Structure formats: structure tokens, C-alpha cells
Amino acid sequence: MKNPFRLPWRRPAESERVAETKAASGFIAIAHEGRAHWTGRSYAALAREGFMRNPVAHRAVRLISEAAAAVPLLLYEGTGERSEHPLLSLLARPNGRMAGVDFLETLYGHLLLSGNAYVDAVSVGEELRELHLLRPDRVSIREGRDGWPEAYDYRVGNHLRRIAAGEGGLLHLRLFHPLDDHLGFPPLAAAQMALDLSNAAATWNKSLLDNSARPSGALVYQPKEGGNLSADQYDRLKTELDEGYSGPMRAGRPLLLEGGLDWKAMGLSPKDMDFVEAKNGAARDVALAFGVPPMLIGIPGDNTYANYQEANRAFYRLTVLPLIGRTASALSGWLSARFGETLKLVPDLDQVTGLTGERSEVWARVKDADFLTDEEKRQAVGY
């Protein structure tokens, strides 16, 4: 009885298989449509394929996170600045494993690669002692009946910890996502195609070098008197190609052809593909998604900014400071409830090296304003 569940594309049994013949009397090229493979948008996939494999994405994330973490934060209570407060001590040393700069750098890295960052607080009695960052891919949101988050589940292996949402629970920072009510959208996901194109170009280039820097091709056997290669001739030719002409150590060896053999190149050459420009274009798209001027990463062919100083100032104004501002605002509201005070964290712009020229221009204009008193000038420059 025939099996009704046997599929028409099943693999033939040994007795049904047709013996392979190694005939090369002519040349036939069969082209079939390929399907592109794209990296997933999860935190692990973007971190692995972007930060850990792509030099442009790696440098962009480090450039933003390190620049943002290096900007000092000032603490205000009402309109007065506080130079000493338990919150400042906590931010200087959030926990026993991290200093303040390391903590903020990791937080910004989570936001850039995941679109989300989670801060957990550890209290002893009524006193807030430590702040910890939770890896975004280990956190899941539990929605209530009203659709709003009621708790966060943090899972490590088989261990599950449930943390309440709200002022007394976990702090969730997220970037804008147009199609998700609770999770943020990572910038690198917007450049997903450019990221895969850049990685594929590097992989293709490495494979090309491993293959003696030669494009793929075919040996065509076209003897004048006709006939086919015997099985022994076919195996000997294949062995000679593998052992004598493959690999970077054998690059440049001339290929000896005999008996009607001819080499036919298959595929496009690096010049035909415009390899270098395509790779630089993909790198510019990745940098654009993060908001980093390509000039700062060393990508050629981009003259949007007149000089490096102008590009650096645009980088701080358009990318770094907005990221610091939203993070400081979220931390201020969350920690104010913890300390029972109205506290506000503000970046100290006087310590931002990328805005030195801009700050000098402001000071020069205020200095020449004769209609202002010394007290008004001090207020105008932030003192």
C-alpha cells in the first residue's frame, strides 16, 4: 500500500537514484532567483551582527555612549544647585561593579542597540543603596487588563524575578516606536539592510581572498574531436584545482589548461559591482541611523560639513545632548519619588568639549552687551 503522506519531493531511495555522470562536453549556466537573508531585529541579533561584527556600528555606538557618559550631570532642587546630595554620590558609584561613567555608558548602549533600557533600584529599609542595569533581552513586560504594564519579568536561565512597574518599581527608558505601545525602536534596526549589506560585502571580500582573489568561474571542456572527460580525468582535474590553485598562499599562480579546456568567468567583478562605493554607502546609512556625521568615523565621500569642528558640534547638538536630556529627565522623575524631593538632573554644558567654540561666541556676545549688569551677564551664561 502506498503511503498517502509521502511527499512528491521526497529523497529517492538508493535503488532509485540515477548514477552521476561527469560529462563536460559543453557549458550550461543555470540562473535562479536568490532570496536575501536579513538580520533579525532582536537585541541579541543587532548586538551580534552590528556592535560585534560591523566596525561602523561598533564605532558609532561607542562614540555616542562614551561622549554622552562623559558629560557631567548637575543636580538642582528647585532653582538652586546642590553640590552635595546622596543622589550625586549614588550616580558617582551606582553599585559595587560599576563607576558612574561605566553605568551611563552601558545604559546608553542598551538604548542604542535595543531601544530600551531598564534600571533597577536596591534599597535597604527606606534608603536607596544601589542602581543596576538589566539586560534588555532578559526583560519582558506583563500587561494588565487595561493594556498598561503592571510588572516586568526578568529571567536569567531558570530564575524568574517579577518587578512591579511604576514609581516604586523598575525604570524603563525607551526610544520612540510608532507601532509598539511599550517597547522602543532601536536606531540600528532602521539601518538593517545597510548593516547586512556591509557585513555581506566584508564576508564576500574575505571569501574572494581565500579563493586566491579570483571571481568564481567554470572550466569548459570543448575538444575539437568531441567527447567527454572520463571519471578519472574529472577527479584529477578537480583535485589539482583544489590543491594547487585554492587559498591565499597560492594566489597568483598561473592556471595551466590543456586538451580543449577554457576558463569562463561567472558573476560580476568587484569593479562591475562598484564594491568600494557600495560598502561606503552602506556605512554612511548606518552612521546616519545613529546620527553620527560620517566624517567623524572616517567614511570618505561625505562633505556635508565644512570641517571636523563643525561636524563635531552638530554631533553633540543633534545626537548626544538630546539623548542625555531624555535620560536625565527620566532619572530625575524616578529618583525624586525615591528620595521624596523635587530633584532635577541637568547636563553641564560648560564641560562639553565639542561645544567650546559655541560657548566662546556666547561669552563674547554677553561681554560686549553694555546694557547688562554684571549680575545679568552671569545669569545669561548660566551662573
Side-chain angles (χ1 to χ4, degrees):
M1 178 180 179
K2 293 185 178 180
N3 186 356
F5 299 103
R6 178 172 293 176
L7 299 178
W9 42 263
R10 66 178 179 85
R11 195 172 198 172
E14 292 293 335
S15 59
E16 301 175 0
R17 295 181 186 175
V18 180
E20 179 183 3
T21 47
K22 302 178 178 64
S25 58
F27 175 73
I28 301 177
I30 301 178
H32 45 99
E33 182 181 358
R35 180 174 298 177
H37 299 277
W38 305 110
T39 300
R41 293 186 177 181
S42 66
Y43 171 78
L46 292 178
R48 186 178 300 111
E49 297 297 323
F51 187 81
M52 301 175 68
R53 285 192 59 189
N54 189 274
V56 178
H58 178 92
R59 183 55 187 153
V61 171
R62 287 196 56 189
L63 197 63
I64 297 173
S65 58
E66 291 175 358
V71 177
L73 295 176
L74 302 177
L75 180 64
Y76 287 86
E77 185 178 5
T79 58
E81 182 182 350
R82 297 287 300 271
S83 58
E84 294 183 1
H85 193 276
L87 174 55
L88 293 176
S89 302
L90 182 65
L91 291 178
R93 188 71 177 180
N95 56 67
R97 299 177 54 200
M98 286 183 168
V101 174
D102 300 329
F103 179 85
L104 291 175
E105 184 179 334
T106 306
L107 186 150
Y108 295 132
H110 285 172
L111 275 176
L112 295 172
L113 291 175
S114 170
N116 303 276
Y118 302 92
V119 184
D120 188 20
V122 176
S123 300
V124 178
E126 298 295 330
E127 183 182 359
L128 181 59
R129 292 288 185 87
E130 291 184 348
L131 299 177
H132 293 271
L133 293 170
L134 306 182
R135 218 171 76 180
D137 59 330
R138 294 175 174 172
V139 179
S140 58
I141 299 177
R142 293 183 59 87
E143 295 183 0
R145 293 182 177 179
D146 56 358
W148 293 99
E150 64 177 9
Y152 295 87
D153 288 343
Y154 181 65
R155 185 183 297 275
V156 181
N158 295 326
H159 177 71
L160 175 64
R161 178 183 168 216
R162 184 158 296 170
I163 309 172
E167 292 184 352
L170 196 69
L171 172 62
H172 179 194
L173 297 95
R174 70 186 189 99
L175 301 180
F176 171 69
H177 195 313
L179 301 178
D180 198 302
D181 295 331
H182 307 306
L183 295 178
F185 186 78
L188 191 55
Q192 180 183 8
M193 293 186 180
L195 173 67
D196 288 341
L197 178 61
S198 179
N199 288 343
T203 303
W204 182 83
N205 197 23
K206 176 65 168 57
S207 300
L208 184 64
L209 291 175
D210 288 343
N211 194 34
S212 302
R214 293 189 183 95
S216 59
L219 282 176
V220 183
Y221 182 54
Q222 294 177 335
K224 295 181 180 179
E225 65 278 2
N228 300 327
L229 287 174
S230 66
D232 293 339
Q233 290 175 326
Y234 181 90
D235 293 336
R236 181 175 66 86
L237 179 60
K238 187 175 180 181
T239 301
E240 289 181 356
L241 288 175
D242 290 339
E243 296 180 355
Y245 299 97
S246 299
M249 301 301 296
R250 303 176 181 87
R253 286 187 178 182
L255 183 63
L256 180 61
L257 303 178
E258 60 178 333
L261 288 175
D262 186 22
W263 173 262
K264 298 292 184 182
M266 299 172 61
L268 300 176
S269 67
K271 181 179 179 182
D272 295 333
M273 293 177 62
D274 203 1
F275 179 82
V276 176
E277 182 54 36
K279 198 169 186 300
N280 289 335
R284 281 193 290 270
D285 287 343
V286 173
L288 177 64
F290 282 108
V292 178
M295 183 183 295
L296 299 184
I297 306 182
I299 301 174
D302 191 284
N303 297 321
T304 304
Y305 300 98
N307 50 50
Y308 187 89
Q309 184 177 2
E310 183 181 344
N312 195 39
R313 182 169 63 177
F315 168 65
Y316 271 93
R317 277 296 179 189
L318 302 178
T319 302
V320 175
L321 292 184
L323 183 62
I324 298 175
R326 69 183 300 137
T327 303
S329 178
L331 286 173
S332 299
W334 185 63
L335 293 174
S336 293
R338 292 276 183 170
F339 284 96
E341 306 175 52
T342 304
L343 303 173
K344 184 178 181 181
L345 292 169
V346 178
D348 187 2
L349 300 184
D350 289 341
Q351 304 299 322
V352 180
T353 56
L355 302 179
T356 303
E358 184 177 309
R359 186 166 57 253
S360 299
E361 295 176 1
V362 173
W363 284 25
R365 290 198 302 268
V366 172
K367 179 182 177 182
D368 295 336
D370 298 333
F371 56 90
L372 295 177
T373 64
D374 291 342
E375 181 66 22
E376 291 172 335
K377 290 180 180 180
R378 291 175 59 85
Q379 294 180 1
V381 295
Y383 285 91

